[in-house]
Amino acid sequence: MDPAARNPTTRFSDRVENYVKYRPSYPAEVIAALEENCGLNEESVIADVGSGTGISTKLFLDHGNRVFAIEPNREMREAAEKLLGDDPNFTSMPNSAEDTGLPDAWVDFIVAGQAFHWFDQIRTKKEFRRILRPGGWVVLVWNERETDTTPFLREYETFLHKHATDYGLVNHMNINEDALREFYAPASFRLLSFTNSQTFDLEGLKGRCLSSSYIPNKDAPGHAAMVSELEELFGAWQEEGFVRFGYRTNIFFGQLEK
């Protein structure tokens, strides 16, 4: 595949509308866990790196935090600005994990929601060390979609492997705990997990599917056949007009030694 197609700064540009409408948020337990374990409070300054359309940004804005949303993808960044731009604690920046544009020792928390697997981890670690205040935390969050807990989810996973262009290459689950140990080293990290879910009617399922960058979008080869099969999948497993996605929301948090 053309390496440009795997470029996170462009590959979601035609997915923004579906991403805003159909991607899950994060449960309130994420904030509570960071309060209890890391000392998060309303005065904490947050860098949300790879902030996308603002899903994780909003979580911290609602908590009362000042948030610097770092997002190199123009379309996703503009969607976040449209949704969150009236909040005086929100600052949008067209930068990257490797070059955030923030001053030295500027933030108390660095958060990456659904984004860390796109970063150059060596350069990013250096940059994170630079912008963190002493005692600051790096928090990596993923909504990990369940793939085998129900017959519908098992068949949906098979469907993705059949129709996706590069699912195996860009799947965030390629980032395992060994990779995270290397990133946080010589310090350590902790993992906490919470349940999360979404329910979709047929149009919602289509939108959720098309929010994934590895799925053929409109006018792409194979799109029509894919949508037809997705409709059949929904028809086979819907209950009272809905199907359910279950998630494990995993948060990894630790500190980076200077």
Side-chain angles (χ1 to χ4, degrees):
M1 168 168 288
D2 180 356
R6 296 198 295 270
N7 183 352
T9 66
T10 58
R11 67 178 287 144
F12 286 96
S13 296
D14 61 350
R15 313 282 173 163
V16 170
E17 182 178 356
N18 285 322
Y19 207 103
V20 169
K21 288 182 178 179
Y22 301 115
R23 283 296 180 106
S25 185
Y26 302 102
E29 288 90 341
V30 170
I31 292 293
L34 296 179
E35 290 176 327
E36 179 179 352
N37 294 281
C38 308
L40 175 73
N41 58 55
E42 292 180 3
E43 301 302 316
S44 301
V45 178
I46 314 295
D48 187 0
V49 181
S51 52
T53 60
I55 295 172
S56 49
T57 302
K58 186 176 187 302
L59 191 70
F60 289 92
L61 290 174
D62 288 347
H63 184 252
N65 297 106
R66 184 181 183 189
V67 184
F68 294 87
I70 313 295
E71 176 51 58
N73 182 290
R74 179 176 61 83
E75 290 81 3
M76 298 188 89
R77 186 175 65 251
E78 289 177 351
E81 291 166 353
K82 181 178 180 180
L83 291 170
L84 305 172
D86 290 338
D87 193 315
N89 284 326
F90 171 72
T91 300
S92 178
M93 301 178 66
N95 297 79
S96 67
E98 299 82 7
D99 181 14
T100 62
L102 293 173
D104 294 352
W106 191 250
V107 299
D108 302 295
F109 285 80
I110 297 172
V111 177
Q114 307 293 129
F116 179 76
H117 53 294
W118 297 110
F119 302 164
D120 179 317
Q121 291 164 39
I122 293 175
R123 294 173 57 207
T124 293
K125 184 173 183 177
K126 181 179 179 181
E127 177 71 353
F128 282 10
R129 281 173 166 162
R130 184 185 68 78
I131 67 173
L132 273 175
R133 292 172 177 164
W137 294 83
V138 175
V139 181
L140 310 177
V141 188
W142 280 282
N143 279 317
E144 184 173 304
R145 179 175 44 79
E146 295 174 352
T147 60
D148 62 357
T149 53
T150 68
F152 163 69
L153 291 176
R154 284 193 287 272
E155 289 204 17
Y156 184 75
E157 184 70 4
T158 300
F159 163 87
L160 291 181
H161 282 279
K162 177 179 178 180
H163 292 284
T165 54
D166 57 352
Y167 182 42
L169 291 174
V170 302
N171 189 344
H172 73 264
M173 287 185 282
N174 291 334
I175 297 291
N176 57 33
E177 292 196 19
D178 288 339
L180 294 176
R181 287 189 191 96
E182 182 176 352
F183 182 78
Y184 282 100
S188 59
F189 68 88
R190 289 185 58 193
L191 164 64
L192 293 175
S193 294
F194 307 100
T195 59
N196 201 3
S197 67
Q198 291 177 291
T199 56
F200 296 113
D201 60 13
L202 177 57
E203 290 308 306
L205 178 62
K206 290 178 181 178
R208 175 62 179 85
C209 180
L210 290 170
S211 75
S212 298
S213 62
Y214 44 74
I215 286 294
N217 212 346
K218 295 178 180 178
D219 301 324
H223 174 82
M226 180 209 70
V227 170
S228 178
E229 186 171 330
L230 187 63
E231 290 172 346
E232 293 177 6
L233 184 62
F234 178 86
W237 295 109
Q238 60 82 26
E239 296 182 5
E240 298 183 350
F242 293 92
V243 292
R244 178 183 179 276
F245 275 25
Y247 300 91
R248 294 297 299 176
T249 300
N250 295 325
I251 63 170
F252 302 84
F253 55 95
Q255 296 174 304
L256 298 179
E257 295 184 9
K258 296 291 185 181

